[in-house]
Amino acid sequence: MSAAAEKPVHYLDHAATTPVLPAVVDELSRLLRVPGNAGSVHGSGRRARRLVEESRERLAAALGARPGDVVFTGGGTEADNLAVKGLYWARQGRPRRRVLVSEVEHHAVLDAAGWLGAQQGAVVEHLPVDSDGVVRLDAVRAALDADPDGVAVLSCMWVNNEVGAVQPLDAVVELAHSRGVPVHTDAVQALGQVPVDLGSLGADAVSITGHKIGGPVGVGALIVGPDHERAPRPVALLHGGGQERGMRSGTADVAGIGALALAGELAVERQREQAARLRGLGRSLLERVRAAVPDVVLNGPAVDGPESMRSPAIWHLTFPGCDGDALLMLLDAGGVECSTGSACSAGVPQASHVLLAMGRDETAAAGSLRLSLGHSSHRPTWKPSPPLSGRW
Ligand SMILES: Cc1ncc(COP(=O)(O)O)c(C=O)c1O
């Protein structure tokens, strides 16, 4: 084994992707050996189909949804696109051009809405957030009231992927529903970190993805509510074999779906215990960073505020006067892996739209790091190698 391979690594980038849980690896490899296309009528096909339907039931039960509401997708980006574009198109029975999205959405929502604006005549309006990254309910109410009948869809994420702010979703859903507007929420960073019960939330479409909860990459789901006037079934993005009740054509990924169902069950079952553990780890990490860098700023809701306001997994820090990219490389060299923002836009040299929306300037945004924890996080039992050892 090379020296590089032996170097201990402290992985602090679970919000980008978290390792697949050992039980899920076992389930995935078991299911990969099962032959059959879930659309075939012979015995192997019927067995594959049964696995898909059982997985649908298990995932729905874990999330507090109905099996018929679960639409399997190729991940969170696809689920977000299906919700935003699909609901927009489904609500054009009479023209409704307005699309309301929070300013801090993941690009999978922001850019889907932007595309509707650029290509389909939608009018996209961004709902502002406060300095903690929490959507302002007064602005949501005002935007809805400006012309509720003209709104096709409102999308507000559950937990922000950069700063970990939990959004006041119950209130957003109530405001929108009382005006006849359907709500989509991106719950990709919520599942496993905060309590998720879709039955009591009542949102019309909810996105999840496997690889943020200990499942594989490339499988996710959009959970849609019952088909009714406010929230008709989303119009499909993909056409072909008519799978997933016509909402998502493509041969079912039996193994991935089974693995997603198990990861979803485990995420819900372990959420309380994991949240308490990660919160403790995150607090001690913050204390240690503060001891070394007293002027470090924690972004997002205050750590001593209500626990329900921030994800226990995401700790986003600004190091005044530092360059986040340089810091990231330095930490990487010392065996600490983290991110300067969302991995999906990493490599693109532009300030985080989330921090800018929170009122930070470009310099602060450029001097920030996201440290994110997950199921395999633990207290370090090793000392970081120089040059970090003097500061950490
Ligand atoms: C909030 C949020 N939504 C959507 C996505 C995209 O999910 P996927 O990587 O499964 O396409 C991510 C991934 O970073 C995310 O954090």
Side-chain angles (χ1 to χ4, degrees):
M1 198 189 275
S2 72
E6 283 166 21
K7 195 176 78 177
V9 164
H10 212 72
Y11 185 72
L12 295 179
D13 205 11
H14 291 261
T17 196
T18 198
V20 182
L21 289 160
V24 177
V25 172
D26 292 347
E27 179 70 344
L28 189 59
S29 44
R30 180 182 78 80
L31 292 172
L32 282 170
R33 294 191 174 88
V34 175
N37 181 324
S40 301
V41 292
H42 48 60
S44 294
R46 291 198 304 276
R47 275 190 292 280
R49 177 67 187 235
R50 198 173 324 121
L51 284 169
V52 170
E53 294 316 318
E54 283 169 6
S55 301
R56 197 187 304 282
E57 281 166 22
R58 288 167 49 203
L59 185 63
L63 299 178
R66 301 172 319 163
D69 299 341
V70 176
V71 182
F72 290 115
T73 66
T77 301
E78 187 191 330
D80 284 345
N81 273 264
L82 177 59
V84 174
K85 296 174 185 166
L87 278 171
Y88 178 83
W89 289 323
R91 299 249 304 156
Q92 297 307 312
R94 69 164 195 258
R96 293 180 176 97
R97 295 291 181 225
R98 303 177 68 210
V99 175
L100 308 183
V101 293
S102 91
E103 273 185 313
V104 294
E105 293 303 306
H106 188 272
H107 278 288
V109 166
L110 278 183
D111 295 3
W115 181 86
L116 286 173
Q119 305 291 333
Q120 306 277 299
V123 178
V124 183
E125 294 166 49
H126 296 107
L127 303 167
V129 295
D130 64 17
S131 56
D132 288 342
V134 178
V135 71
R136 282 177 34 206
L137 289 172
D138 58 333
V140 175
R141 187 181 298 108
L144 285 164
D145 283 343
D147 173 20
D149 293 339
V151 181
V153 57
L154 182 156
S155 186
C156 177
M157 70 199 321
W158 198 321
V159 172
N160 179 261
N161 52 300
E162 292 192 37
V163 298
V166 179
Q167 303 298 335
L169 255 195
D170 285 322
V172 170
V173 169
E174 198 183 315
L175 284 171
H177 282 184
S178 61
R179 291 154 177 85
V181 171
V183 177
H184 162 249
T185 187
D186 176 334
V188 160
Q189 300 284 352
L191 187 55
Q193 308 302 347
V194 300
V196 166
D197 177 3
L198 301 189
S200 66
L201 178 67
D204 303 286
V206 180
S207 305
I208 63 163
T209 190
H211 73 110
K212 312 282 184 177
I213 58 168
V217 178
V219 62
L222 184 70
I223 294 89
V224 294
D227 184 5
H228 55 74
E229 202 199 325
R230 181 190 67 230
R233 291 275 144 116
V235 171
L237 304 177
L238 304 181
H239 298 93
Q243 290 90 344
E244 297 299 298
R245 283 152 296 128
M247 278 177 277
R248 203 278 185 178
S249 285
T251 301
D253 171 7
V254 180
I257 287 171
L260 175 69
L262 177 59
E265 286 178 325
L266 294 174
V268 171
E269 196 181 298
R270 298 176 179 174
Q271 183 271 323
R272 262 172 76 104
E273 178 271 326
Q274 170 156 303
R277 197 175 70 79
L278 298 190
R279 196 169 289 117
L281 279 177
R283 286 195 166 140
S284 77
L285 179 66
L286 181 63
E287 272 168 30
R288 293 171 74 168
V289 176
R290 276 184 176 153
V293 188
D295 58 350
V296 69
V297 178
L298 174 72
N299 298 306
V303 69
D304 46 9
E307 287 181 352
S308 58
M309 296 282 289
R310 64 161 30 251
S311 164
I314 298 179
W315 301 78
H316 194 279
L317 306 171
T318 297
F319 297 87
C322 286
D323 174 49
D325 289 319
L327 212 46
L328 184 134
M329 305 300 262
L330 194 67
L331 286 166
D332 189 31
V336 177
E337 296 179 337
C338 62
S339 143
T340 48
S342 96
C344 309
S345 52
V348 183
Q350 61 187 29
S352 150
H353 66 284
V354 175
L355 284 202
L356 296 182
M358 290 163 62
R360 305 292 197 285
D361 60 21
E362 303 232 351
T363 314
S368 301
L369 290 180
R370 179 185 69 181
L371 310 178
S372 55
L373 310 174
H375 64 85
S376 60
S377 300
H378 52 81
R379 277 176 207 282
T381 53
W382 52 277
K383 286 214 184 328
S385 54
L388 297 173
S389 51
R391 304 188 70 196
W392 283 62

